[in-house]
Amino acid sequence: MTLQEYDYARESPSKLAASCLLLALTMKNLGGWTPTLEYYSGYRSQDLHPLVKRLNFLLTYQPHDKLKAVRTKYSHKVFFEVAKVTPMDMLKLDEILKSC
């Protein structure tokens, strides 16, 4: 989804990928940012928090008239129906990120 959003073009691909991973881990309650992830990504959890919040905001307030093909594709079982995952409540996300 970020590929078609100009605001995300200034972010480095590695930071964007790391932030997406942290958001996915948080959304699925699979734990937080581990020292191993920090070592191999080069990012501390705190460095990713602002971008994680922006990504969740993008998921929460996405226009439904755009990117229909992308949404349809990633709603399929082959892609684990990730387009159907409910975004996190912004306050809950903020609370979880503060505890990391």
Side-chain angles (χ1 to χ4, degrees):
M1 290 180 63
T2 60
L3 291 175
Q4 295 186 352
E5 296 290 333
Y6 187 73
D7 292 341
Y8 294 91
R10 67 174 179 235
E11 300 293 345
S12 73
S14 62
K15 188 173 185 179
L16 189 58
S19 297
C20 288
L21 177 59
L22 179 55
L23 179 58
L25 291 171
T26 306
M27 289 174 80
K28 290 299 212 172
N29 200 23
L30 296 173
W33 201 246
T34 65
T36 303
L37 289 170
E38 182 177 327
Y39 176 80
Y40 285 107
S41 71
Y43 296 106
R44 296 178 314 138
S45 174
Q46 294 81 5
D47 299 335
L48 303 175
H49 290 180
L51 187 52
V52 168
K53 291 177 189 178
R54 286 179 45 218
L55 289 167
N56 192 63
F57 185 84
L58 178 66
L59 290 174
T60 304
Y61 298 104
Q62 57 184 309
H64 291 285
D65 58 331
K66 293 170 63 177
L67 306 174
K68 286 183 183 178
V70 173
R71 190 168 292 104
T72 301
K73 177 180 178 177
Y74 288 99
S75 293
H76 196 272
K77 289 180 183 179
V78 173
F79 296 103
F80 304 99
E81 300 177 332
V82 295
K84 295 179 181 178
V85 175
T86 307
M88 291 194 69
D89 176 67
M90 295 300 282
L91 294 174
K92 183 177 180 180
L93 177 62
D94 192 43
E95 181 181 310
I96 291 170
L97 291 177
K98 285 181 182 176
S99 68
C100 296

